[in-house]
Amino acid sequence: MAAAVSMTRLNAAPVIFASRAWPLAATAQAVDIEQWNSTRADLFSKVCMGSAPSFSAFEANAVAAGFTAAQDRLVVEPDVTVELLSDIGLCRCLMMMGAPDPTALADEIVATLQSDFPGSWGPDTGQKELGSKAFFLDGVPIHLGIVPTSHEQQPGIVASARVTGDCPA
């Protein structure tokens, strides 16, 4: 049996995105924050987790969720980008999104994943942090990361699903 990889919610240093501005301040004032968070959590669940662990359906899932190609990534306006990144021996689906309240969005992502993939959560690891349970799809451990960040002084979230192995070509 493969070792469980725990899901973590990190309070790491901000991630900087050079090519993408989030028009969050004006947009967030005009929307319902609960709906904003629900929509973004659903996108992460459908695109990243919905194509894990092989990520072979990544592009099809992204297009079905409304993403379009822009530069080297896929985008849903006004603020969500997603891309598949290959590191040495790792494949990661990385979704970046604006978040008026990053903590509330992180909580909504976890709640959506728990609802959409109820049989995929392993035993509690005993840690007190949010998201301290193991997650498996098709028997493959998935490492989930949810990191608060900012871009041009606008708050956001970077959410990722990572597996050991190469990304599809």
Side-chain angles (χ1 to χ4, degrees), residues 152-164:
E152 296 180 0
Q153 300 181 354
Q154 297 295 321
I157 288 280
V158 175
S160 68
R162 184 185 77 211
V163 298
T164 300

Side-chain angles (χ1 to χ4, degrees), residues 8-135:
T8 56
R9 185 168 138 210
L10 305 173
N11 291 317
V15 177
I16 303 301
F17 306 105
S19 64
R20 183 94 181 121
W22 296 339
L24 182 59
T27 305
Q29 293 173 4
V31 299
D32 177 338
I33 299 302
E34 288 182 19
Q35 181 62 40
W36 177 279
N37 290 343
S38 176
T39 299
R40 281 141 189 82
D42 191 54
L43 288 171
F44 181 76
S45 182
K46 286 180 178 174
V47 177
C48 288
M49 295 310 296
S51 63
S54 71
F55 296 113
S56 61
F58 168 76
E59 190 169 343
N61 289 358
V63 169
F67 283 83
T68 57
Q71 298 174 355
D72 61 344
R73 61 193 68 192
L74 297 167
V75 178
V76 168
E77 296 297 338
D79 67 299
V80 184
T81 64
V82 66
E83 56 192 316
L84 205 55
L85 302 172
S86 184
D87 294 325
I88 298 172
L90 298 174
C91 184
R92 177 187 328 255
C93 180
L94 187 70
M95 187 173 288
M96 298 155 282
M97 59 200 99
D101 182 345
T103 300
L105 178 53
D107 292 344
E108 184 66 25
I109 291 169
V110 171
T112 298
L113 294 177
Q114 288 174 330
S115 175
D116 290 354
F117 301 95
S120 299
W121 296 89
D124 193 322
T125 62
Q127 297 176 9
K128 300 293 182 195
E129 292 179 1
L130 171 68
S132 63
K133 295 184 179 185
F135 192 87

